[in-house]
Amino acid sequence: MSWGLFWQAMLSGITNSFVYALIGIGLAVIFKGTKVINAMQGEFAVVGGIVTVFALQAYGVPYFPAALIGIAAGALLGLIVDILFVRPMMRRKAGEESFLLLTIGLAFTISAGLLYFVGRDSYLLPGIGGSGVVEMFDAFIPVHSYWLVGISVVVVILLRLFYTYSLTGLAMAATSIDPIGAATNGINVTLMRTYTFALGGAVGALAGILVAPLVSVNYHMGIALTLKGFAAAILGGLANPIGAVVGGLVIGISEALAVIGISSGYKDIAAMTVMIIVMIVMPNGILGRAGRRGG
Amino acid sequence: MSPAPVTAKSARLVLDVQGVAHRFGGLRVLEDVNIAAPESQIVGLIGPNGSGKTTLFNIITGFIRPRSGTVSVNGRDVAQDSIQQRSRDGLLRTFQTPKVFDHMTVLENVMMGMHAHTSSGVLATMFAMPSARRELASTRASALQTCERFGIAHLAATRAGELPAGLRRVVELARAHQAKPKLLLLDEPSSGLSGPEIDTLRGWIRVFASEGTTVLLVSHDMGLMDVCDVVNVLYFGRVIATGPMAAIRDDQKVRDAYLGAA
Amino acid sequence: MAFARNKLLIAAVAVVALLLPLLLQRHYVDVMVFAGLYGIAGLGVALLLGQCGIVSLGQAFFYGIGAYSSAYLCVTLGLSPIFGIVVGAALSALIAFIIGWPILRLTGFFLALATLAIGMIGGILFYEWDWLTGGTLGIGGIPTLSLFGFELNTPQRYYYFVWAIFLVAIWLSHNLVTGRAGLAMRAMRDAPPAAEALAVDMHALKTKIFVLCAVLGSLAGSLFAHYATYVSVQSFTVERSIIFLLIPVIAGAASVWGTIIGALFVALAPELLSGLGDAHQVLFGLALVLVVTLLPEGIVGLPKLVMKRFGA
Ligand SMILES: Nc1ncnc2c1ncn2[C@@H]1O[C@H](COP(=O)(O)OP(=O)(O)OP(=O)(O)O)[C@@H](O)[C@H]1O
Ligand SMILES: [Mg+2]
């Protein structure tokens, strides 16, 4: 394999890693706010991407507002999921496995719904900054990739600022750490959870919109995105957005190595394997999931 | 016929904790703790909140590995043994918040006490081998007897999760009795119990000891502590006094450190 | 009184079940065969979910191993079907053990997503290893089974065969969950530290049930291969795993007999909704979501819920 192909695979792996990081950050946002691992996070991305495509192509909305509509769709979906399903289950104090079944069921439903409404086609968005490419290390990188990385970094920074400085962000963080304490301090815990889901949905949708120009979106890609985002998030420690970027890089580069070393069919296997190994080898690692033993 | 009083020196030590120390991060929870429990005695462990009593239980039963020190059961160092191995060797504990199996019936809870004493495997159970069926039937019969003895036979078919706190304690105790442990560690069994219920509990603790079970008892209820042959006082991770409850009450150090604070 | 009524009900159901293939159109007998096949695989998932609290999203992987073992050994190597079934089950058990031992230290979400990842890896391998599986073209010409010289080559005959196996598997599972191991499983689900303190080796027990679940999945896959006589990757995707998971969830995972209801649901619902085309998948997903949100104990728990709601 020539160096050009090597770098081509590597650099597209690195680009993808920011998409996984964004999905992972969305997952982390929701986990932080609700202690639920949202197995339909990838679906937010697919919905965001497809809504943007339709706004742009079927309804002729200009690019930027179309993207905003896509993001709003993700946020709205998060809102609906929380109000219709998560709230009653929280009230019932449902267990972890119930939330998992719920979000898996929603992922399945949304994926099937997309199949019904938009079919099996893959939808491509035009790249931000056109369809130009830039040569780098003998490889050709779409201009859009730079935008993708840049926007992802900005989102990471904005989230960080939001959670550290804004009142809403602080309240959302407080809710997750100590819901009862937050409630006694006059924070509307239920509402904060809804905000959390909306924010997670928006971040997920953004990931979908950013990835659509590179690999296109289809009804079927949600679950794989969820798993890779989850891998990125746990690698980086679920609470930490910058960690998710590092985690995303590990996944993206593992995929690239699988593409280079074996074949592109093994890309997902590499990502999933890394994820499983990380969970086993660093069970409480950066995550700090080490619960108290005994009584 | 009252048994001759045994002194700590002459009796065999069922539990011997030596020089145990533990930290959580920077927090020193236990330091150079020495505690001994002679056979068939009731040994108390008291100390203010956060003094490390539950942590010591966790170390003795294998839920936590200590930073240093040894735990010997029946004269053997158990450092390498898993929780399950210790349990099979006759070590049993209860928990500060009663841990009954909520979705199982009272009878099934008590049957679980026999787990370490039974052996039917997954395949034998699936294929309903006669041995497995016999074992299950005898476990059930024996557990039912225990339920009767503890006055909960009428609740045998009730889900344990539906019981009030006091009865959950009784179920936990009956389950422990079913397990016939050599060493029973009770972590605040009196919390949440009413006066009369505590009297019953005291009776049961005596029954355990009279049947040859050594008991290590943690409680904040000083009245209950009278059942103990000997009491250890833990204060900020150190044992500051050991002796009969009467002597402990008069100990100036203990008064300053513990009873005064309470 | 209630007991006698129950017995009567069971007898009635049994008679109907026995007569069903004679009364139904061939197509619906076929659907019932699939209910039995899915039920066997779903029963494994039910044991994990209902007894151990483990959400398995990878059952289609073992279903695939069984199906491909049967297909490959019978068609490519020309061996007798029994080899395919046994080799598939043994292979599944081995793989489940190798995977299960490390991952069953995980719990909750993390374990569930690990099983999902394994299911996806399995699906990709079935696709990539086309020298073994035939890839999207699949493997055809798998022989039908015969029992003591009696060819199981019609849906009617296969119906009795598969449902007999399904019922025996349920009976074995029933013994398991009401026996010593079942008590231990439920104990470790309710209060893990207390179960450990009573000498329950949780990790070993979970691993055994995981292996058992895989063997049931593999058996169902083998039986599927000999019924359909053709297998290809489409049958072993994550969607199939979710359908297997739906079986215990619909019915209420705590009851092994409930898997019958769950199996009938997942097999019949698409039939009844087939007029809707692809939309039936949406309704499947919604069924899962609604049961989880509204019926925490599944359909089996419905009467209790109704009683509670409306007082009785
Ligand atoms: N797993 C753990 N991680 C960190 N700190 C812990 C852990 N378990 C206990 N601690 C801390 O160690 C100290 C001793 O706790 P422990 O539960 O042993 O006390 P205790 O004597 O049982 O108190 P109580 O009377 O309230 O039950 C406390 O400060 C507690 O917060
Ligand atoms: Mg304590």
Side-chain angles (χ1 to χ4, degrees), chain B residues 63 83-84 87-88 91-93 95 99-105 108 111-116 118-122 125-128 135-136 140 159 175 179, chain C residues 169 171-173 175-184 186-203 205 208-209 212 297 304:
Chain B
F63 282 85
I83 302 171
Q84 290 82 2
S87 171
R88 282 190 287 269
L91 209 66
L92 186 64
R93 70 174 291 185
F95 295 82
K99 291 206 191 312
V100 295
F101 306 121
D102 283 350
H103 297 94
M104 295 165 67
T105 65
E108 287 171 334
M111 286 169 75
M112 272 309 291
M114 289 284 274
H115 189 81
T118 48
S119 60
S120 309
V122 165
T125 316
M126 276 181 83
F127 289 95
E135 194 178 76
L136 189 68
R140 178 172 291 124
R159 278 194 188 192
R175 190 173 73 194
Chain C
W171 178 71
L172 293 176
S173 306
N175 289 341
L176 180 67
V177 303
T178 51
R180 175 176 181 265
L183 287 180
R186 282 148 61 205
M188 76 179 174
R189 198 195 138 145
D190 276 1
E196 281 185 296
L198 289 163
V200 175
D201 188 338
M202 302 204 294
H203 185 238
L205 190 55
K208 285 177 196 163
I209 304 305
L212 180 62
E297 291 181 42
K304 212 165 75 185

Side-chain angles (χ1 to χ4, degrees), chain B residues 239-250:
Chain B
V239 179
I240 57 165
T242 301
M245 195 57 208
I248 293 288
R249 278 210 181 85
D250 295 335

Side-chain angles (χ1 to χ4, degrees), chain A residues 32-33 170-179 182 187-189 192-193:
Chain A
K32 216 161 129 179
L170 285 170
M172 280 159 72
T175 301
S176 69
I177 297 164
D178 178 9
I187 295 173
N188 185 339
V189 171
M192 288 307 131
R193 257 199 322 256

Side-chain angles (χ1 to χ4, degrees), chain C residues 27-28 30-31 265-276 280 284:
Chain C
H27 172 70
Y28 283 98
D30 181 65
V31 169
F265 178 88
V266 297
L268 287 174
E271 284 310 311
L272 303 178
L273 302 169
S274 59
L276 300 171
H280 81 253
F284 249 46

